[in-house]
Amino acid sequence: MRNLGFIFRDIRMDKGYSLKDIADGILSVSFLSKFERGDSDISLSKFYLLLERLNMTLDEFSFISNDYNLTQVETLMKNVRNAYENNNINLLYKLEQEEIYMWKKYNLSNHRYNSIMIRALAYDLNKQLELNQEDITLLNEYLFKVENWGFYETMLFGNSMSILSIDSIIIFSKEILIKTQLYSRIRKNKEKLIRVLLNTIFYCIESKRPLSALHFIISVEKILERHSDLYFEKVKLLYLNGIYKIISGNSNVGIDMSNKAIQIMNALGDINAVNNHEIYLMGKIEFLNKTSRVLII
């Protein structure tokens, strides 16, 4: 990676700003020049102000400084997502082993957490896989001890739900609104938070915890009231709210709500989502019909 000052200078010149344009009111022109030449370091607070003057986000600067490549975590998650969406358990196993190797080599705990998360996603695809209770305990301990969850902790929890008990899922999901508050104004963190809560609703429904499901439905509704442009999340909530109503005895309204959500997915051309959600909805309706029958002997 090149010196940050060199990269900053290239961006400044590319945008057509002079040293004085950027430095004015933040630091001296001579100090900024030294920073750009790599002769001096700069405080993080000053650097943020300089980026704002360049009309650039920290994510954009990081992307450029990494030679226009994704970060290691972003690359890992891209590969994990590709393997999971294609039901490629062999690739997930390979990625898990790579993270274990990195953990043992560098003794960095995040690689071990990554390996546990990948194992959880593989387990979600194949419930026959063995789980290590020590890993599950370690994951629980880490999530409990971190007071302020950033994007990483939210992602870690959301992708590891399949190996956690429903009680742990509910406890963490109730805490998540508090634990993520520090970073709540960052859009990608907010989107990840909502998607995690949507998954929580699903797990509550599957575990026959309707009151908990309702609690999180209401929580997500309140968040989405302030975000009118999160269409995917709203459609997903509409669908899950419909499923909740079906299992709670209001089947006609619930079926109508879930079908409306599926129609929106169909209009958007997401055929895989349409098929998966239709199958799940039919399963709930079929189960409802079975449990509503009167047994005659």
Side-chain angles (χ1 to χ4, degrees):
M1 183 184 293
R2 291 186 296 152
N3 182 280
L4 297 183
F6 299 165
I7 299 169
F8 188 91
R9 179 188 59 197
D10 290 346
I11 296 171
R12 174 183 63 77
M13 295 178 68
D14 183 62
K15 286 177 172 280
Y17 290 112
S18 68
L19 284 166
K20 186 177 185 305
D21 290 334
I22 301 301
D24 190 33
I26 300 175
L27 40 71
S28 68
V29 170
S30 62
F31 192 87
L32 177 57
S33 180
K34 287 182 180 179
F35 169 66
E36 290 189 347
R37 294 197 305 269
D39 295 334
S40 181
D41 291 326
I42 193 171
S43 69
L44 191 58
S45 59
K46 296 290 186 184
F47 185 66
Y48 283 148
L49 292 174
L50 293 173
L51 284 182
E52 286 184 1
R53 192 66 59 83
L54 279 178
N55 297 313
M56 172 168 279
T57 67
L58 183 59
D59 282 344
E60 290 171 333
F61 186 87
S62 297
F63 182 63
I64 294 173
S65 65
N66 200 36
D67 294 327
Y68 298 92
N69 293 311
L70 298 175
T71 65
Q72 287 184 343
V73 172
E74 288 171 335
T75 301
L76 172 65
M77 291 313 302
K78 178 183 177 182
N79 293 332
V80 168
R81 183 164 50 250
N82 178 62
Y84 180 80
E85 291 176 351
N86 289 285
N87 295 312
N88 193 337
I89 294 180
N90 289 333
L91 179 54
L92 285 173
Y93 177 75
K94 179 176 178 292
L95 293 169
E96 177 193 6
Q97 292 306 305
E98 288 175 354
E99 288 301 304
I100 291 174
Y101 170 79
M102 295 291 284
W103 163 55
K104 291 181 177 178
K105 182 177 180 179
Y106 297 107
N107 197 31
L108 295 174
S109 57
N110 63 298
H111 289 295
R112 187 173 185 188
Y113 300 138
N114 292 343
S115 72
I116 297 170
M117 174 185 67
I118 296 170
R119 168 61 59 153
L121 290 170
Y123 179 76
D124 196 38
L125 297 177
N126 181 6
K127 294 297 191 292
Q128 301 303 315
L129 291 179
E130 292 184 8
L131 296 176
N132 186 331
Q133 188 58 47
E134 181 184 345
D135 286 345
I136 298 174
T137 300
L138 182 70
L139 178 65
N140 273 289
E141 289 175 349
Y142 173 74
L143 292 173
F144 269 119
K145 76 177 182 181
V146 179
E147 292 186 8
N148 293 306
W149 283 15
F151 183 84
Y152 178 76
E153 286 77 22
T154 306
M155 176 191 70
L156 187 64
F157 169 57
N159 288 328
S160 302
M161 284 182 167
S162 64
I163 64 173
L164 299 177
S165 69
I166 185 59
D167 289 330
S168 292
I169 290 173
I170 291 173
I171 290 171
F172 281 130
S173 296
K174 286 182 177 180
E175 287 288 316
I176 200 171
L177 292 172
I178 300 171
K179 287 178 175 286
T180 60
Q181 197 166 19
L182 185 65
Y183 306 102
S184 61
R185 295 175 64 184
I186 302 175
R187 183 179 177 86
K188 72 173 185 177
N189 291 41
K190 179 69 71 176
E191 290 175 355
K192 180 63 70 175
L193 164 65
I194 296 171
R195 294 190 181 196
V196 166
L197 292 176
L198 289 171
N199 282 342
T200 299
I201 296 169
F202 169 78
Y203 278 105
C204 287
I205 289 172
E206 284 297 286
S207 301
K208 298 180 176 56
R209 305 285 283 270
L211 290 180
S212 294
L214 179 59
H215 170 85
F216 294 112
I217 286 171
I218 294 171
S219 297
V220 175
E221 283 177 342
K222 289 180 179 179
I223 298 173
L224 289 176
E225 285 176 358
R226 304 188 295 272
H227 298 275
S228 59
D229 57 336
L230 295 178
Y231 303 113
F232 168 85
E233 290 78 6
K234 288 189 174 184
V235 173
K236 189 72 174 181
L237 179 62
L238 175 63
Y239 177 84
L240 289 172
N241 202 352
I243 298 296
Y244 162 75
K245 290 188 182 301
I246 291 171
I247 67 171
S248 298
N250 199 352
S251 59
N252 290 335
V253 173
I255 292 170
D256 184 56
M257 290 174 67
S258 293
N259 275 326
K260 282 182 179 178
I262 292 172
Q263 288 170 11
I264 296 172
M265 296 175 196
N266 190 48
L268 294 173
D270 195 343
I271 303 304
N272 286 335
V274 169
N275 292 336
N276 292 335
H277 287 76
E278 280 184 340
I279 291 170
Y280 187 77
L281 174 60
M282 291 306 297
K284 291 300 177 186
I285 295 173
E286 183 178 346
F287 176 78
L288 180 68
N289 290 335
K290 285 181 179 178
T291 55
S292 298
R293 293 175 188 154
V294 177
L295 183 62
I296 300 176
I297 300 177

